[in-house]
Amino acid sequence: MTRQLDDAEVRRLLRIEDLIAALRPAFVDLSAGRVVQPLRLVMELQSEHSLLFVKPVLTSGALAVKLITQVPANSSGGLPTMLATVVLMDPATG
């Protein structure tokens, strides 16, 4: 089952104190080489100067991919110029 959370729900469910506490062991694992984090992929989109960034990471407990679009022309229409989605998966079952 897939669950989608928007920005407001993430902010409601995730306290900044809990996030900071979780980041320390994550950075320790990254420094110790226990995290697989390939270089990001950057792909040009059809719109002028627009890009898609794909940033995967694998830890012992999570597989994640962050997808980011950068569309500078969005500003003229009142839209954000950068949008991101994080997909979290169980590394054992996908």
Side-chain angles (χ1 to χ4, degrees), residues 26 29-30 34-36 57-64 91:
D29 285 348
L30 178 63
R34 293 187 290 264
V35 174
V36 178
V57 65
L58 173 64
T59 70
S60 61
L63 170 62

Side-chain angles (χ1 to χ4, degrees), residues 16-85:
I16 192 69
E17 296 83 6
D18 297 334
L19 176 60
I20 291 170
L23 287 175
R24 186 179 196 298
F27 284 125
V28 168
D29 285 348
L30 178 63
S31 296
R34 293 187 290 264
V35 174
V36 178
Q37 186 179 21
L39 293 176
R40 70 179 184 202
L41 175 140
V42 181
M43 183 175 82
E44 291 184 19
L45 302 178
Q46 292 178 347
S47 304
E48 187 175 343
H49 305 295
S50 297
L51 301 170
L52 167 68
F53 300 85
V54 181
K55 299 171 73 176
V57 65
L58 173 64
T59 70
S60 61
L63 170 62
V65 179
K66 185 174 185 179
L67 306 167
I68 307 156
T69 56
Q70 180 179 7
V71 184
N74 278 358
S75 62
S76 64
L79 297 171
T81 57
M82 296 189 84
L83 295 166
T85 298

Side-chain angles (χ1 to χ4, degrees), residues 4-16 19:
Q4 296 182 0
L5 306 175
D6 64 14
D7 183 62
E9 192 167 2
V10 169
R11 290 176 187 274
R12 183 178 63 79
L13 294 171
L14 182 61
R15 295 180 11 179
I16 192 69
L19 176 60

